Amino acid sequence: MDRPCRIGAFRRRLWLLALIAITALSALPAKASVSRDSTAPDSAADTAQDLLPDYVQGLILDMKGDYWGAIDTFRKVMVKRPADAAVKYSISKAYFRLAVLDSAKVYGEAAVRLDPSNRHYLRYLAGVAHDMKEYDRAAELFGKASLLEPERTEIMYLQGLEYLAANRLEQALEVFEKAARIDPYNEAALTQTLTLEIGLKRYTEAIDTVTKLRGLRGSDPRLSITLAELYAKTGQEALAVETLRELAAADRGNIAYRIALFDHYIRAGRNDEFQRELTSFLDTSSLPPETLHDFAKLYISRSGKDSLYVGPARVLLDELIARRSRDSELFMLKGMYHMVHGRQAEGVALLGKAVQLDSGNATAWEYLITAQFELGGKRKAFELLAQARRGLPRQRLRWSAIEGHLLLFSNAPRRAVAVLERVVTASPQPRDQNFLIQVNTNLAMVYDLLGMKKRCREAYERVIALDPHNTLAMNNLAYLLAEEGIRLRQALRLASNAVMLEPDNGVYLDTLGWVHYKLGNYELARQLLEKAIATGVDEPEVYRHLAEAYRKLGYEAKAREMLEKAKSVKKKEENKKSGQ
């Protein structure tokens, strides 16, 4: 029934293609003749008409996806019309669709040379240059296209993005600022301008840009926080505090805005004002306990990474406990805080208080057992585990997982593997993702100790399937693959991702360097392994890896030096284990 309609539609497309072909082929005059023969123009027109069927045929082949056939046909036209930009452009697009970028670039550049004022050619060629990662050239082409259409700020925006890709930040900023001047309502250009101004430390200009964005977006809290930070960076403390206070007052139920004010005081070293503000807030707020617990967890985490938060986190926990002295969760969190900062005895005491206040707090039991174990109380840890099992029998899998962990670090790998395999086989619900990650990580470590490489790899692969950003699993799996000399490309991807997520982790840098060594990239391996040691990693294995890289590069003296360091570190480790 619909065949006539389809045929009609196809014919209409042919007429459209014919129209395009006529327009394209008549866009440029035929090659100039030195003859004064008055019939020359007619001959040129006749030539264009003669070539029209071939050009249309090329367009049809291109439309059907026969790009090589289209290229061959367009080339026949090009022989007789070598100065025709449209033909060059058509060949370029066919190559582009075949992902033959070098050829697409050659013919695209030719089209632009022949018709430099054609904005379509310029934008197309800029896209080809971008795909070839020639960002400077792409920026140049978008700039030329922008000159032809100066009112189109979206082309300027694309030029700015290309400058960003080329890491030419000053030029990118200049383009985005120009786009924002032409179109003051262009939020994308203003946002890029703000980001660059902050990155280039032009804080005063950034304040003006934030103000413009606030005028467009209204009460965007993120902009208010950014503005306060910029005020602080330019020494306008009073304005910074005023901005954050206004933000917190506008939404009293959102603790994030209050935390932004606390953070400002802490980073400015104004801890007394932080404590006064915190006390006033806690005395007047009616936030649920869970929100306050999350607040405490945030500051505990920060205190482990930033020394500025060590004191404020302690103050926060003390203030919360003073107001909620029967809250088991708060005592557990304070115990975790002490563990994070190496005060195991205080941590164990507080975790013990947490389970006294609430014997059903399974998380507190878990931390208490592992903390007691880390403190050296192996027998006490197993006693606490038995006590937890009796009190909370429904947490059977959880206690088995902890038992496997304790056995792993008690040098009982065969008992540990039996326990952990039973836990994995029990197949907990999908919502227990973190639980499964921990169990499979421990199981992988046990398999590694027992030399069960295949099972070890499979366990780490399960972890990565559950958490694709798990750097420990990525690193360890990459190292396993490198040691076995298998799937080295996968090992490179895993190790590279781990370093990308944690660029200052010396162990991960060592793994990436070792993978490159296995791939024969000895110079790159040397650079990465030297960087690993520069982070402070002091392990025999890392020194041995660097020695191997030096040896491959012909640096025998340096190789011997690294091997001596490896022996020295290993001896220290052995003496430490034996108590000497």
Side-chain angles (χ1 to χ4, degrees):
M1 289 290 294
D2 62 346
R3 178 176 172 79
C5 296
R6 291 181 181 177
I7 292 173
F10 184 69
R11 285 176 176 166
R12 285 193 295 274
R13 294 182 73 176
L14 287 179
W15 280 111
L16 178 60
L17 288 172
L19 178 61
I20 293 170
I22 292 169
T23 304
L25 288 173
S26 61
L28 289 177
K31 190 174 182 180
S33 174
V34 294
S35 170
R36 295 186 180 182
D37 186 350
S38 61
T39 62
D42 293 334
S43 299
D46 291 342
T47 302
Q49 292 297 322
D50 291 343
L51 293 173
L52 179 60
D54 287 337
Y55 190 71
V56 171
Q57 181 62 27
L59 294 174
I60 293 171
L61 291 171
D62 186 273
M63 181 183 69
K64 290 181 176 180
D66 183 2
Y67 304 122
W68 289 116
I71 289 167
D72 288 340
T73 304
F74 289 139
R75 279 176 171 166
K76 292 176 184 177
V77 177
M78 187 177 67
V79 170
K80 296 182 179 180
R81 301 277 293 189
D84 197 317
V87 179
K88 299 280 199 304
Y89 174 67
S90 297
I91 295 174
S92 175
K93 290 193 74 174
Y95 273 123
F96 184 78
R97 293 186 177 107
L98 288 165
V100 184
L101 297 183
D102 287 342
S103 296
K105 175 187 173 183
V106 168
Y107 285 96
E109 292 281 6
V112 167
R113 281 195 301 273
L114 290 166
D115 188 359
S117 62
N118 189 308
R119 60 186 186 276
H120 302 296
Y121 295 174
L122 287 166
R123 293 204 301 266
Y124 160 75
L125 185 57
V128 174
H130 175 87
D131 286 353
M132 296 183 73
K133 299 185 179 179
E134 296 178 356
Y135 303 122
D136 281 316
R137 177 59 174 155
E140 179 188 355
L141 289 162
F142 276 127
K144 290 179 178 179
S146 180
L147 291 174
L148 296 172
E149 301 177 274
E151 75 287 349
R152 293 191 61 181
T153 56
E154 68 270 22
I155 299 177
M156 292 180 199
Y157 186 82
L158 292 172
Q159 183 187 17
L161 292 179
E162 297 300 338
Y163 277 134
L164 276 180
N167 200 32
R168 295 175 62 182
L169 305 186
E170 296 282 356
Q171 291 88 339
L173 177 57
E174 184 180 337
V175 171
F176 289 130
E177 285 177 335
K178 182 179 178 182
R181 284 195 300 272
I182 293 172
D183 180 7
Y185 298 97
N186 191 326
E187 286 190 37
L190 284 168
T191 301
Q192 292 288 0
T193 299
L194 175 61
T195 303
L196 285 164
E197 287 171 340
I198 293 173
L200 294 169
K201 298 184 179 180
R202 298 183 181 180
Y203 302 130
T204 302
E205 294 93 329
I207 289 172
D208 292 336
T209 304
V210 170
T211 304
K212 292 174 184 176
L213 279 168
R214 290 179 87 196
L216 294 175
R217 295 183 187 174
S219 56
D220 185 334
R222 294 170 299 177
L223 289 175
S224 297
I225 293 172
T226 301
L227 181 59
E229 291 172 350
L230 291 168
Y231 280 141
K233 288 183 181 294
T234 53
Q236 303 178 74
E237 284 291 320
L239 283 173
V241 171
E242 179 185 343
T243 302
L244 291 170
R245 283 186 181 280
E246 288 175 356
L247 181 61
D251 189 353
R252 294 182 179 277
N254 193 327
I255 194 173
Y257 306 148
R258 186 68 60 170
I259 290 173
L261 178 59
F262 296 153
D263 289 344
H264 172 77
Y265 284 129
I266 292 168
R267 291 183 187 128
R270 298 161 65 179
N271 284 350
D272 290 342
E273 291 173 78
F274 158 71
Q275 188 164 357
R276 281 197 298 273
E277 193 75 35
L278 175 67
T279 301
S280 173
F281 167 69
L282 293 177
D283 286 342
T284 57
S285 72
S286 56
L287 294 170
E290 295 78 13
T291 302
L292 296 174
H293 295 160
D294 288 341
F295 181 18
K297 289 174 186 175
L298 173 66
Y299 269 33
I300 291 169
S301 174
R302 288 183 179 177
S303 74
K305 302 172 184 176
D306 188 341
S307 60
L308 286 175
Y309 283 86
V310 175
R314 175 69 177 267
V315 168
L316 172 60
L317 288 163
D318 288 344
E319 291 288 345
L320 289 172
I321 288 175
R323 290 165 175 76
R324 301 179 59 82
S325 59
R326 305 293 298 171
D327 190 329
S328 169
E329 190 81 3
L330 287 175
F331 280 94
M332 181 192 77
L333 292 172
K334 191 170 181 181
M336 290 170 59
Y337 169 83
H338 282 290
M339 296 298 295
V340 165
H341 295 288
R343 296 187 288 271
Q344 279 81 4
E346 295 94 327
V348 167
L350 287 161
L351 291 166
K353 176 72 172 177
V355 297
Q356 287 176 13
L357 289 170
D358 181 5
S359 60
N361 189 336
T363 304
W365 276 109
E366 181 176 341
Y367 286 128
L368 175 60
I369 293 164
T370 53
Q372 187 68 61
F373 187 84
E374 288 179 16
L375 193 59
K378 178 180 174 181
R379 178 177 295 179
K380 180 64 175 176
F382 278 101
E383 289 174 358
L384 288 168
L385 176 59
Q387 190 177 343
R389 271 183 163 140
R390 289 193 298 270
L392 297 168
R394 292 187 178 181
Q395 299 280 345
R396 177 178 58 85
L397 288 176
R398 186 175 202 157
W399 308 134
S400 293
I402 294 173
E403 180 186 5
H405 176 83
L406 298 182
L407 290 169
L408 166 62
F409 292 99
S410 298
N411 199 27
R414 295 199 177 279
R415 291 173 61 195
V417 77
V419 172
L420 292 169
E421 282 182 339
R422 284 199 298 271
V423 175
V424 171
T425 305
S427 300
Q429 295 296 318
R431 66 175 179 272
D432 297 325
Q433 179 172 314
N434 291 332
F435 174 78
L436 283 171
I437 289 170
Q438 187 58 53
V439 172
N440 278 291
T441 300
N442 282 332
L443 191 54
M445 292 179 181
V446 178
Y447 285 143
D448 195 20
L449 286 172
L450 295 172
M452 304 168 75
K453 301 301 182 186
K454 184 173 183 294
R455 291 190 181 185
C456 181
R457 294 197 306 270
E458 291 170 349
Y460 280 129
E461 285 166 353
R462 288 195 295 272
V463 173
I464 294 169
L466 290 163
D467 178 12
H469 297 98
N470 191 301
T471 53
L472 177 66
M474 286 192 286
N475 175 77
N476 291 3
L477 178 55
Y479 190 76
L480 283 169
L481 296 172
E483 284 291 274
E484 294 184 67
I486 60 174
R487 290 153 49 189
L488 291 177
R489 288 295 168 189
Q490 181 188 0
L492 179 60
R493 177 175 56 80
L494 290 165
S496 298
N497 287 343
V499 169
M500 180 179 66
L501 292 170
E502 295 188 37
D504 298 322
N505 189 310
V507 174
Y508 296 174
L509 286 165
D510 169 64
T511 297
L512 181 56
W514 193 233
V515 172
H516 276 294
Y517 175 88
K518 291 285 187 174
L519 286 166
N521 305 325
Y522 303 124
E523 177 57 28
L524 186 52
R526 177 193 67 77
Q527 294 172 21
L528 288 163
L529 292 165
E530 286 180 344
K531 189 175 179 181
I533 290 173
T535 65
V537 171
D538 193 32
E539 296 181 4
E541 199 170 55
V542 183
Y543 291 118
R544 284 196 293 270
H545 290 164
L546 184 54
E548 292 295 330
Y550 280 147
R551 184 161 287 159
K552 287 290 186 181
L553 293 168
Y555 305 140
E556 286 297 332
K558 287 186 175 183
R560 287 193 296 272
E561 181 187 348
M562 289 300 108
L563 289 174
E564 287 301 318
K565 282 191 176 183
K567 290 177 185 177
S568 175
V569 172
K570 186 176 182 180
K571 188 174 181 179
K572 285 180 185 177
E573 290 178 351
E574 290 171 350
N575 291 340
K576 188 176 180 180
K577 286 180 182 178
S578 61
Q580 295 180 13

Tab-separated table of all heavy atoms in Angstrom, residues 399-424:
chain	number	residue	atom	x	y	z
A	399	TRP	N	28.542	-11.429	60.838
A	399	TRP	CA	29.530	-11.940	61.800
A	399	TRP	C	30.488	-12.921	61.122
A	399	TRP	O	31.672	-12.958	61.448
A	399	TRP	CB	28.837	-12.579	62.996
A	399	TRP	CG	27.799	-11.698	63.654
A	399	TRP	CD1	26.549	-12.058	64.040
A	399	TRP	CD2	27.937	-10.313	63.988
A	399	TRP	NE1	25.875	-10.999	64.582
A	399	TRP	CE2	26.713	-9.901	64.564
A	399	TRP	CE3	28.951	-9.368	63.842
A	399	TRP	CZ2	26.489	-8.603	65.008
A	399	TRP	CZ3	28.727	-8.064	64.279
A	399	TRP	CH2	27.521	-7.698	64.855
A	400	SER	N	29.977	-13.672	60.164
A	400	SER	CA	30.864	-14.589	59.429
A	400	SER	C	31.891	-13.807	58.610
A	400	SER	O	33.059	-14.197	58.523
A	400	SER	CB	30.049	-15.495	58.506
A	400	SER	OG	29.237	-16.373	59.271
A	401	ALA	N	31.448	-12.704	58.017
A	401	ALA	CA	32.374	-11.875	57.247
A	401	ALA	C	33.466	-11.309	58.146
A	401	ALA	O	34.651	-11.280	57.763
A	401	ALA	CB	31.612	-10.742	56.562
A	402	ILE	N	33.093	-10.869	59.339
A	402	ILE	CA	34.087	-10.354	60.285
A	402	ILE	C	35.022	-11.464	60.742
A	402	ILE	O	36.242	-11.262	60.861
A	402	ILE	CB	33.387	-9.697	61.498
A	402	ILE	CG1	32.626	-8.455	61.031
A	402	ILE	CG2	34.396	-9.336	62.575
A	402	ILE	CD1	31.764	-7.834	62.091
A	403	GLU	N	34.472	-12.652	60.947
A	403	GLU	CA	35.317	-13.789	61.330
A	403	GLU	C	36.354	-14.065	60.229
A	403	GLU	O	37.538	-14.297	60.518
A	403	GLU	CB	34.456	-15.028	61.561
A	403	GLU	CG	35.276	-16.250	61.968
A	403	GLU	CD	34.443	-17.523	62.066
A	403	GLU	OE1	33.242	-17.489	61.723
A	403	GLU	OE2	35.011	-18.563	62.477
A	404	GLY	N	35.910	-14.047	58.983
A	404	GLY	CA	36.837	-14.258	57.873
A	404	GLY	C	37.932	-13.199	57.853
A	404	GLY	O	39.106	-13.497	57.606
A	405	HIS	N	37.561	-11.960	58.124
A	405	HIS	CA	38.528	-10.863	58.176
A	405	HIS	C	39.555	-11.102	59.284
A	405	HIS	O	40.772	-10.931	59.069
A	405	HIS	CB	37.793	-9.545	58.411
A	405	HIS	CG	38.680	-8.361	58.572
A	405	HIS	ND1	39.205	-7.665	57.513
A	405	HIS	CD2	39.146	-7.748	59.701
A	405	HIS	CE1	39.958	-6.682	57.957
A	405	HIS	NE2	39.933	-6.698	59.296
A	406	LEU	N	39.081	-11.483	60.464
A	406	LEU	CA	39.993	-11.725	61.591
A	406	LEU	C	40.922	-12.895	61.291
A	406	LEU	O	42.125	-12.840	61.602
A	406	LEU	CB	39.203	-12.004	62.867
A	406	LEU	CG	38.291	-10.876	63.378
A	406	LEU	CD1	37.625	-11.295	64.685
A	406	LEU	CD2	39.067	-9.580	63.575
A	407	LEU	N	40.394	-13.948	60.678
A	407	LEU	CA	41.227	-15.113	60.343
A	407	LEU	C	42.271	-14.759	59.287
A	407	LEU	O	43.409	-15.230	59.341
A	407	LEU	CB	40.343	-16.260	59.847
A	407	LEU	CG	39.457	-16.926	60.913
A	407	LEU	CD1	38.448	-17.847	60.254
A	407	LEU	CD2	40.312	-17.689	61.919
A	408	LEU	N	41.867	-13.912	58.326
A	408	LEU	CA	42.804	-13.481	57.280
A	408	LEU	C	44.029	-12.820	57.896
A	408	LEU	O	45.166	-13.117	57.523
A	408	LEU	CB	42.095	-12.515	56.321
A	408	LEU	CG	42.969	-11.695	55.360
A	408	LEU	CD1	43.752	-12.604	54.421
A	408	LEU	CD2	42.105	-10.716	54.565
A	409	PHE	N	43.800	-11.929	58.841
A	409	PHE	CA	44.910	-11.182	59.448
A	409	PHE	C	45.462	-11.869	60.700
A	409	PHE	O	46.291	-11.295	61.403
A	409	PHE	CB	44.458	-9.751	59.750
A	409	PHE	CG	44.220	-8.953	58.507
A	409	PHE	CD1	42.934	-8.783	58.001
A	409	PHE	CD2	45.285	-8.398	57.802
A	409	PHE	CE1	42.710	-8.055	56.837
A	409	PHE	CE2	45.070	-7.669	56.638
A	409	PHE	CZ	43.788	-7.495	56.142
A	410	SER	N	44.991	-13.099	60.961
A	410	SER	CA	45.565	-13.924	62.038
A	410	SER	C	46.457	-15.015	61.455
A	410	SER	O	46.780	-15.988	62.134
A	410	SER	CB	44.452	-14.567	62.879
A	410	SER	OG	43.671	-13.592	63.507
A	411	ASN	N	46.791	-14.873	60.167
A	411	ASN	CA	47.641	-15.845	59.472
A	411	ASN	C	46.997	-17.232	59.427
A	411	ASN	O	47.659	-18.250	59.609
A	411	ASN	CB	49.030	-15.922	60.132
A	411	ASN	CG	50.073	-16.529	59.215
A	411	ASN	OD1	49.953	-16.450	57.992
A	411	ASN	ND2	51.096	-17.144	59.787
A	412	ALA	N	45.687	-17.230	59.198
A	412	ALA	CA	44.965	-18.503	59.062
A	412	ALA	C	44.174	-18.451	57.757
A	412	ALA	O	42.937	-18.477	57.764
A	412	ALA	CB	44.043	-18.721	60.260
A	413	PRO	N	44.869	-18.384	56.614
A	413	PRO	CA	44.176	-18.160	55.334
A	413	PRO	C	43.233	-19.285	54.934
A	413	PRO	O	42.192	-19.026	54.329
A	413	PRO	CB	45.317	-17.996	54.329
A	413	PRO	CG	46.488	-18.661	54.963
A	413	PRO	CD	46.326	-18.457	56.431
A	414	ARG	N	43.573	-20.542	55.240
A	414	ARG	CA	42.697	-21.653	54.810
A	414	ARG	C	41.376	-21.627	55.573
A	414	ARG	O	40.317	-21.894	54.994
A	414	ARG	CB	43.420	-22.987	54.986
A	414	ARG	CG	44.627	-23.110	54.073
A	414	ARG	CD	45.087	-24.540	53.893
A	414	ARG	NE	46.206	-24.595	52.965
A	414	ARG	CZ	46.096	-24.573	51.646
A	414	ARG	NH1	44.892	-24.509	51.097
A	414	ARG	NH2	47.168	-24.615	50.864
A	415	ARG	N	41.424	-21.321	56.857
A	415	ARG	CA	40.179	-21.190	57.618
A	415	ARG	C	39.394	-19.965	57.130
A	415	ARG	O	38.160	-19.996	57.034
A	415	ARG	CB	40.491	-21.065	59.107
A	415	ARG	CG	41.039	-22.348	59.729
A	415	ARG	CD	41.489	-22.110	61.156
A	415	ARG	NE	40.378	-21.669	61.992
A	415	ARG	CZ	40.521	-21.120	63.205
A	415	ARG	NH1	41.740	-20.929	63.692
A	415	ARG	NH2	39.482	-20.764	63.915
A	416	ALA	N	40.129	-18.898	56.804
A	416	ALA	CA	39.474	-17.675	56.332
A	416	ALA	C	38.747	-17.911	55.007
A	416	ALA	O	37.612	-17.466	54.823
A	416	ALA	CB	40.506	-16.559	56.167
A	417	VAL	N	39.389	-18.626	54.084
A	417	VAL	CA	38.777	-18.841	52.777
A	417	VAL	C	37.505	-19.678	52.893
A	417	VAL	O	36.518	-19.428	52.187
A	417	VAL	CB	39.789	-19.473	51.785
A	417	VAL	CG1	39.975	-20.956	52.036
A	417	VAL	CG2	39.358	-19.225	50.350
A	418	ALA	N	37.508	-20.645	53.797
A	418	ALA	CA	36.310	-21.474	53.970
A	418	ALA	C	35.141	-20.636	54.474
A	418	ALA	O	34.001	-20.768	53.996
A	418	ALA	CB	36.618	-22.616	54.945
A	419	VAL	N	35.413	-19.757	55.439
A	419	VAL	CA	34.355	-18.905	56.001
A	419	VAL	C	33.846	-17.905	54.967
A	419	VAL	O	32.637	-17.751	54.770
A	419	VAL	CB	34.880	-18.166	57.254
A	419	VAL	CG1	33.849	-17.137	57.730
A	419	VAL	CG2	35.195	-19.149	58.370
A	420	LEU	N	34.761	-17.235	54.285
A	420	LEU	CA	34.368	-16.186	53.333
A	420	LEU	C	33.652	-16.755	52.109
A	420	LEU	O	32.731	-16.128	51.573
A	420	LEU	CB	35.597	-15.383	52.908
A	420	LEU	CG	36.230	-14.520	54.016
A	420	LEU	CD1	37.586	-13.974	53.577
A	420	LEU	CD2	35.301	-13.380	54.411
A	421	GLU	N	34.054	-17.931	51.666
A	421	GLU	CA	33.356	-18.551	50.535
A	421	GLU	C	31.917	-18.886	50.895
A	421	GLU	O	31.011	-18.756	50.052
A	421	GLU	CB	34.101	-19.800	50.086
A	421	GLU	CG	35.334	-19.511	49.254
A	421	GLU	CD	36.053	-20.757	48.763
A	421	GLU	OE1	35.852	-21.837	49.364
A	421	GLU	OE2	36.824	-20.657	47.784
A	422	ARG	N	31.688	-19.286	52.130
A	422	ARG	CA	30.308	-19.571	52.558
A	422	ARG	C	29.477	-18.294	52.541
A	422	ARG	O	28.300	-18.313	52.164
A	422	ARG	CB	30.304	-20.184	53.958
A	422	ARG	CG	30.731	-21.636	54.012
A	422	ARG	CD	30.278	-22.309	55.301
A	422	ARG	NE	30.865	-21.684	56.482
A	422	ARG	CZ	32.032	-22.043	57.030
A	422	ARG	NH1	32.748	-23.020	56.477
A	422	ARG	NH2	32.487	-21.431	58.103
A	423	VAL	N	30.098	-17.182	52.917
A	423	VAL	CA	29.374	-15.908	52.922
A	423	VAL	C	28.994	-15.506	51.500
A	423	VAL	O	27.863	-15.110	51.232
A	423	VAL	CB	30.230	-14.798	53.581
A	423	VAL	CG1	29.517	-13.446	53.467
A	423	VAL	CG2	30.495	-15.127	55.041
A	424	VAL	N	29.956	-15.624	50.564
A	424	VAL	CA	29.687	-15.253	49.172
A	424	VAL	C	28.630	-16.166	48.569
A	424	VAL	O	27.732	-15.716	47.844
A	424	VAL	CB	30.986	-15.301	48.340
A	424	VAL	CG1	30.686	-15.131	46.855
A	424	VAL	CG2	31.951	-14.222	48.801
